């Protein structure tokens, strides 16, 4: 047993998770463990329940069966305080969802003052340092409508980071961005991963997945088809579907590059 | 005939008109906002009940409702016609204001609520800090229209005997046999009130507008 293995501590444990809409299962019997400091990337075709899975982890929707633990706390248990759990799980959305009526700084501060009940001066200092972390301290006084998509998404990341979450969930954070703005968001995420933040990322950015992920999970039709290290999945996929999907996506990615 | 004196008599009803409006418009806003929040964020039953309220209230002429509400309000508490009439008008307006606020809440997209919940806010905190500040900004232009309607509808309380502009105009018209002069004077005052109000609300909207790049 290596030392690294001994130190690995699960932050998020998902067992047998199933979510249904009407009679159809969006996903079923998902098992997933995310250890401290891990970056796990979930890939897969659209409509396979990737986003819904993240929302279940954040308790924004209710799973139908199965359990989720955050550290040692079962957050799917009855009587669990959802609002409290969400404070410890950062979430970044595809379409940013900044609070439109607040400046970048106030967006980051709001959770600190209202949820964590920090004093305004303290919250301000903390919020500014989070904006600094995503390289936007010079945009603190700008409203979302005055920022580019990439900048908005970085503010959204800062807003989530400010709560000092145990884990960050990213739901296709670059899918709504112009190609030239994707880089700055991925750069921030790469930096976070290096700093040891625990991250669960749904994305189609294969370059990011290959470079940053500790593990890649291929989800299709509501179940995990294959999971493994980037090298395993990209170069030695065990499953034919994984090979096919990665080939298609890489081809698409390559074409996009050519068009530039 | 002392025209100036008669005109002054009509104009002094403005205080009542403004008073009725200043009570009924905010009362309608508070009630309407609460109803809209219940409609959007509470259970199925309260959605159904508030929809019923809105449909019924908006399906009856304000003057008829005013009489009904006036007799209910003044029957249960001992109030002056002025207060009872103002409150009744506020209740009439609440159904319209509920629809204005509801529309604004729905256009502040569910995403804002989700983002607020995601940082650990309770529903109540999210409504207060995220949803309402955006909603009320969005609601100003349609609300400006409703404000104009309420100013004009305040003339209805004349039927309850409140000596506001219209009532005074009618008295002058009857005593001087000069209906045109009397009612034209009333019309001018109403117009000025509505005009000033919508200008002020325009200005408020511009001042509260969230900065954005074109």
């Amino acid at each position: 047993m290596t030392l690294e293995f001994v130190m690995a501590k699960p932050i998020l444990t998902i067992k047998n998770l199933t979510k249904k809409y009407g009679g159809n299962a969006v996903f079923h019997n998902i098992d997933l463990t995310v250890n401290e400091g891990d970056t796990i990337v979930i890939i897969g075709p659209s409509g396979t329940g990737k986003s819904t899975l993240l929302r279940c982890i954040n308790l924004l929707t209710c799973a139908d069966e199965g359990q989720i633990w955050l550290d040692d706390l079962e957050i799917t248990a009855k009587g669990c305080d959802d609002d409290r759990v969400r404070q410890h799980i950062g979430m970044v959305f595809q379409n940013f969802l900044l609070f439109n009526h607040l400046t970048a700084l106030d967006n980051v501060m709001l959770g600190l003052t209202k949820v964590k009940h920090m004093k305004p001066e303290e919250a301000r200092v903390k919020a500014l340092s989070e904006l600094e972390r995503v390289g936007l301290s010079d945009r603190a006084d700008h409203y979302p409508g005055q920022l580019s998509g990439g900048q908005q998404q970085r503010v959204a990341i800062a807003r989530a980071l400010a709560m000092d979450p145990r884990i960050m969930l990213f739901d296709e954070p670059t899918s709504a961005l112009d190609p030239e703005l994707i880089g700055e968001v991925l750069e921030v995420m790469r930096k976070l991963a290096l700093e040891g933040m625990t991250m669960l990322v749904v994305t189609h950015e294969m370059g990011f997945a290959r470079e940053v992920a500790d593990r890649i999970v291929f989800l299709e039709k509501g179940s995990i088809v294959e999971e493994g290290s980037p090298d395993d999945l990209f170069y030695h996929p065990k499953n034919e579907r994984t090979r096919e999907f990665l080939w298609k996506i890489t081809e698409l990615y390559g074409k996009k590059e050519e068009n530039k | 005939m002392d025209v100036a004196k008669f005109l002054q008599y009509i104009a002094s009803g403005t205080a009542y008109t403004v008073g009725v409006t200043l009570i009924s418009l905010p009362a309608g806003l508070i009630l309407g906002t609460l109803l809209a929040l219940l409609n959007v964020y509470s259970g199925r039953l309260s959605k159904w009940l508030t929809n019923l309220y809105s449909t019924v209230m908006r399906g009856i002429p304000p003057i008829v409702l005013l009489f009904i509400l006036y007799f209910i309000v003044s029957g249960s508490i001992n109030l002056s016609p002025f207060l009872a009439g103002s409150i009744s008008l506020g209740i009439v307006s609440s159904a319209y204001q509920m629809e204005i606020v509801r529309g604004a809440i729905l256009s502040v997209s569910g995403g804002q609520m989700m983002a607020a919940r995601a940082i650990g806010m309770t529903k109540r905190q999210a409504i207060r800090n995220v949803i309402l500040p955006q909603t009320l900004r969005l609601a100003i232009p349609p609300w400006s229209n409703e404000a104009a309607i309420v100013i004009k509808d305040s003339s209805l309380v004349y039927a309850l005997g409140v000596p506001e502009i219209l009532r005074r105009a009618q008295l002058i018209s009857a005593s001087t046999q000069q209906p045109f002069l009397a009612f034209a004077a009333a019309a001018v005052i109403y117009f000025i009130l509505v005009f000033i109000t919508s200008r002020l609300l325009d200005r408020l909207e511009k001042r509260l507008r969230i900065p954005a790049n074109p």
Side-chain angles (χ1 to χ4, degrees), chain A residues 174-188:
Chain A
T174 57
S175 295
L177 291 174
D178 288 342
E180 68 213 32
L181 303 177
I182 291 176
E184 59 189 74
V185 173
L186 292 181
E187 192 47 49
V188 167

Side-chain angles (χ1 to χ4, degrees), chain B residues 75-148:
Chain B
S76 44
I77 350 164
N78 190 16
L79 285 178
S80 65
F82 168 76
L83 266 183
S86 303
I87 292 169
S88 304
L89 265 186
I91 295 172
V92 171
S93 175
S94 71
Y96 296 88
Q97 298 202 44
M98 166 191 154
E99 292 300 331
I100 292 170
V101 177
R102 194 177 76 101
I105 291 176
L106 292 179
S107 67
V108 176
S109 79
Q112 293 284 313
M113 176 57 97
M114 189 159 68
R117 300 305 298 275
I119 54 171
M121 285 195 170
T122 62
K123 213 175 190 181
R124 191 179 286 249
Q125 285 176 321
I127 288 173
R128 200 165 141 194
N129 298 296
V130 175
I131 303 296
L132 280 183
Q134 295 185 56
T135 298
L136 295 179
R137 278 184 176 87
L138 273 178
I140 294 174
W143 195 76
S144 168
N145 191 41
E146 177 64 15

Side-chain angles (χ1 to χ4, degrees), chain B residues 144-145 147-148 151 193-203:
Chain B
S144 168
N145 191 41
I151 293 173
L193 289 177
V194 169
F195 185 78
I196 292 174
T197 306
S198 67
R199 275 300 162 92
L200 286 177
L201 286 171
D202 271 1
R203 221 188 256 183

